[in-house]
Amino acid sequence: MFTRVVVFASPQEVADAVAHKFLERVVDLLGTRDEVQVCLTGGGTADLVYERFADLAAEAKLDLGRLHLWWGDERFVAATDPDRNSLQALSRLGRTLPIQSARIHMMAARDGRADPHDCASEYAAELGDTHFDLTFLGMGPDGHVASIFPGHPSFDATSRAVIGVTESPKPPSERISLTIPTLNRSDEIWFIVTGTGKADALLRVLEGDESLPASHAHGQQATYWFVDQAVASKLPARYVCPL
């Protein structure tokens, strides 16, 4: 297992590079197995990745019918709410990705549902013992990942694979999230992090500050941090590697 930090000039350059690497990884995986399991994240730069990946997949005429998509967390809001991570991702990927309900594993929306905890249990049942080939993650300025926040009950140790989150420090207040051990059921974790406001958190994570949830997320084979120059501005040179 190794950790690698790769720095690009801008969020768009991060997105372009990650989308190309994502395509290469999917092609390799589809050549060795019947199905590929990918866990997605939300966020502006991640959405740029999905937009670019959709273009690249179309150009490559890649058959994505064997690609399963999961989500690391979701805002517990209405199905049509633009804040939903899954809606943002599928509006981009769906241009070239076959949207097949058996392979698109979205977390429940609020519509007709009152409790994110029950919905979390349902998602855990659907997830079962799924092992991810690749998990995308973002990170907040406070070091949170998915909807696991520092100093919050969501970060408490638990045996549950998926949890409902209430009174979230970041709106909306109700969410559903994979737990850290579930996120870590991944061969590779790819962090996509941009912006000056996250520079302190990135340095703390790489230096092993265990008070931050992001410090606990590790791929079983590899962990990549794809970052822009702004978020890498406080990193010593020893942390940065070529792609």
Side-chain angles (χ1 to χ4, degrees):
M1 181 179 70
F2 65 87
T3 298
R4 181 170 295 168
V5 181
V6 188
V7 181
F8 300 90
S10 67
Q12 186 62 62
E13 289 191 18
V14 171
D16 288 344
V18 173
H20 277 89
K21 186 173 175 62
F22 184 24
L23 181 71
E24 293 171 2
R25 191 76 184 106
V26 169
V27 169
D28 288 346
L29 290 168
L30 289 174
T32 62
R33 62 199 66 187
D34 293 332
E35 296 180 326
V36 176
Q37 309 287 342
V38 176
C39 185
L40 301 181
T41 188
T45 308
D47 288 341
L48 292 175
V49 172
Y50 307 147
E51 186 81 26
R52 186 70 180 113
F53 177 81
D55 292 337
L56 294 171
E59 293 167 6
K61 296 181 172 57
L62 183 62
D63 176 14
L64 298 176
R66 293 181 285 149
L67 186 64
H68 282 256
L69 297 182
W70 303 85
W71 273 264
D73 74 319
E74 187 58 274
R75 285 84 176 249
F76 192 57
V77 293
T80 57
D81 192 310
D83 281 344
R84 276 181 64 82
N85 292 331
S86 52
L87 184 62
Q88 292 293 326
L90 292 178
S91 67
R92 292 161 172 82
L93 292 170
R95 294 186 295 108
T96 57
L97 182 76
I99 304 301
Q100 301 174 5
S101 59
R103 294 182 174 85
I104 307 297
H105 307 275
M106 293 183 288
M107 293 178 172
R110 175 178 286 283
D111 308 66
R113 311 297 295 272
D115 190 346
H117 303 290
D118 288 344
C119 294
S121 296
E122 292 173 9
Y123 201 68
E126 182 177 359
L127 183 66
D129 59 358
T130 298
H131 183 96
F132 304 120
D133 296 293
L134 171 62
T135 291
F136 288 99
L137 284 177
M139 182 186 69
D142 60 354
H144 83 264
V145 290
S147 287
I148 309 297
F149 297 92
H152 184 266
S154 57
F155 194 27
D156 291 347
T158 178
S159 61
R160 299 186 66 181
V162 188
I163 57 171
V165 178
T166 57
E167 298 182 1
S168 163
K170 179 181 179 181
S173 63
E174 293 186 318
R175 297 158 172 262
I176 301 169
S177 182
L178 303 190
T179 59
I180 294 290
T182 309
L183 293 169
N184 287 349
R185 283 172 12 194
S186 308
D187 286 346
E188 297 185 7
I189 287 179
W190 293 9
F191 280 94
I192 307 168
V193 184
T194 60
T196 306
K198 302 175 183 180
D200 285 331
L202 177 59
L203 178 59
R204 289 171 62 189
V205 168
L206 294 176
E207 292 189 340
D209 185 342
E210 294 190 354
S211 70
L212 303 184
S215 296
H216 298 261
H218 302 285
Q220 294 179 8
Q221 296 179 9
T223 304
Y224 286 93
W225 290 83
F226 297 103
V227 303
D228 67 353
Q229 289 179 348
V231 78
S233 60
K234 297 186 178 181
L235 294 185
R238 68 179 182 275
Y239 285 120
V240 180
C241 303
L243 182 60

